[in-house]
Amino acid sequence: QVQLEESGGGLVQAGGSLRLSCVASGSIRYISRMGWYQQAPGKQRELVATITTGGETNYVDSVKGRFTISRDDAKNTVFLQMNSLKPEDTAVYYCNVNAKTYRTPTFRDYWGQGTQVTVSS
């Protein structure tokens, strides 16, 4: 199994910054894609950003130029640097990794429990 521990959420004023971190642990054999998703109240969970093992990134249009995703494979960690935050960025942010473990020979998605980000106007 893979456990994901997120940190870095909180309350910030509009225009401020936060840095989210997510550490993966467990019987990990290999991690491919890592990413962040958001879920605002009353809405479905949506993609924010992903990053491949080769460092290729993908962002939802609403965060392009403001958010930066990165990863540290030596520490099984993915980051989300969020700048110029807006009230509409308020949501629970979930870490997602696609990984293979020593027990599971195929890749599957794992999710963190989420961290709240609240941006006040």
Side-chain angles (χ1 to χ4, degrees), residues 1-83:
Q1 279 287 42
V2 176
Q3 294 79 44
L4 301 179
E5 182 173 353
E6 298 136 330
S7 61
L11 172 64
V12 65
Q13 289 188 332
S17 299
L18 286 173
R19 180 178 171 88
L20 305 183
S21 300
C22 173
V23 181
S25 61
S27 59
I28 300 169
R29 182 172 182 180
Y30 185 78
I31 296 177
S32 60
R33 185 193 69 252
M34 307 180 84
W36 291 94
Y37 290 70
Q38 66 177 194
Q39 187 166 17
K43 294 188 176 182
Q44 291 186 333
R45 191 173 299 185
E46 298 177 336
L47 169 71
V48 176
T50 60
I51 185 168
T52 67
T53 53
E56 182 176 344
T57 58
N58 179 52
Y59 298 93
V60 66
D61 286 346
S62 61
V63 308
K64 286 180 180 177
R66 299 188 298 123
F67 292 8
T68 302
I69 189 170
S70 60
R71 60 191 286 170
D72 183 341
D73 289 331
K75 298 180 179 179
N76 289 338
T77 302
V78 61
F79 304 96
L80 186 68
Q81 178 66 44
M82 304 186 294
N83 298 328

